[in-house]
Amino acid sequence: MTVTPHVTARNTEPFVWPRQGEWTYEDWLRLPDDGWRYEVIRGVLYMSPVPTIRHQRGSRELFLRIHEHVTTLGGEVLFAPVVVFLPGETTPVEPDLIALAPGREEIVERNGIHGAPDLLVENLSPSTRWHDRRIKLPLFAEAGVRETWLVDPEAHTISVFALPMEGEGEAQPERRHLESEVAPRYERARVYGAGERAQSVVFDGLAVEVDGVLGRLTGVLPPDVDRDDHHRHLE
């Protein structure tokens, strides 16, 4: 992706942007506050437009449901814009929502989260679908994010990925055949659809109605789907 050099909102001096693969944290700091979401992952700049109103409404519904449960347990939930510095990475990512388990306060600093959240959520859109699934999802697993949800309005699904729990073996009954291609370290994957409740692996008792969130993301509730089809392969 090519970014045209221009005078930015953060730095009034003209600046020649680096080539893809050469972006740094300092380059990221120079990017403008213009409504776009900019993320630099391993030297590559990714851009996505400001979320739509429907996207924001759905994100709000998801936040309210997760926040109510997690804060009751003593944890914390934050939503975009939130900057997360993952372990081993030199530049931050900006997920749609994160949740921290009780006792994780030490990773919360003034300029963002410094460490791997316990739960991370990305709402997919046409402009971010490939980026979220093929770039960010494996990154989250490698960084030690214990659980990631991908919310897909077009498919009307919430996909839940989780790292193996302590003491578990390699073989998992819920493993999906494409999982190793998407996120090599995630050992659990389940896809929840219409009429179902997406259940967290990390936060006991946390369950979110798919229709309650995605009905607001899409603006309409979908027709009923075959109940036997709720264990989908990720394609």
Side-chain angles (χ1 to χ4, degrees):
M1 179 182 301
T2 300
V3 179
T4 303
H6 62 290
V7 177
T8 75
R10 297 180 184 175
N11 190 330
T12 58
E13 296 298 325
F15 181 72
V16 178
W17 299 112
R19 294 177 298 181
Q20 287 289 47
E22 299 179 356
W23 283 79
T24 66
Y25 177 64
E26 288 71 25
D27 298 326
W28 177 79
L29 288 175
R30 290 176 176 267
L31 288 165
D33 293 314
D34 57 2
W36 285 74
R37 179 183 295 184
Y38 297 99
E39 293 179 304
V40 174
I41 299 177
R42 296 175 179 174
V44 177
L45 174 66
Y46 298 92
M47 301 168 54
S48 56
V50 62
T52 65
I53 295 298
R54 286 179 178 176
H55 182 105
Q56 294 182 43
R57 287 172 176 166
S59 296
R60 178 192 63 201
E61 295 298 324
L62 190 59
F63 168 79
L64 291 174
R65 286 162 169 77
I66 295 177
H67 179 268
E68 180 180 11
H69 185 88
V70 172
T71 54
T72 298
L73 300 175
E76 184 174 9
V77 180
L78 300 170
F79 59 92
V82 57
V83 174
V84 178
F85 295 85
L86 294 171
E89 300 299 319
T90 58
T91 51
V93 293
E94 297 186 48
D96 289 308
L97 184 151
I98 68 167
L100 304 177
R104 301 294 313 285
E105 296 86 359
E106 74 279 358
I107 73 171
V108 181
E109 299 187 17
R110 182 177 181 181
N111 68 333
I113 306 300
H114 289 255
D118 298 285
L119 170 63
L120 189 152
V121 179
E122 292 284 9
N123 291 325
L124 305 183
S125 67
S127 63
T128 67
R129 177 180 302 275
W130 185 90
H131 173 217
D132 288 340
R133 290 177 60 87
R134 300 299 177 180
I135 303 298
K136 296 178 76 172
L137 185 60
L139 178 71
F140 298 154
E142 293 170 13
V145 177
R146 294 201 289 161
E147 183 172 351
T148 294
W149 290 16
L150 296 184
V151 182
D152 191 336
E154 290 188 5
H156 203 85
T157 59
I158 297 177
S159 299
V160 176
F161 299 86
L163 296 175
M165 302 298 285
E166 184 177 353
E168 290 185 335
E170 290 293 326
Q172 299 296 332
E174 298 167 342
R175 192 181 181 105
R176 296 294 175 262
H177 77 293
L178 286 182
E179 187 182 340
S180 62
E181 297 177 20
V182 178
R185 289 188 55 194
Y186 279 129
E187 296 293 333
R188 293 177 180 266
R190 177 163 179 183
V191 184
Y192 297 88
E196 297 180 323
R197 294 164 63 89
Q199 300 183 22
S200 173
V201 176
V202 171
F203 292 96
D204 290 339
L206 173 59
V208 174
E209 294 181 358
V210 175
D211 294 341
V213 173
L214 291 178
R216 290 166 174 79
L217 275 175
T218 60
V220 295
L221 292 177
D224 290 338
V225 298
D226 185 355
R227 295 269 65 78
D228 294 332
D229 192 40
H230 69 283
H231 290 291
R232 301 173 178 84
H233 293 308
L234 300 180
E235 297 177 348

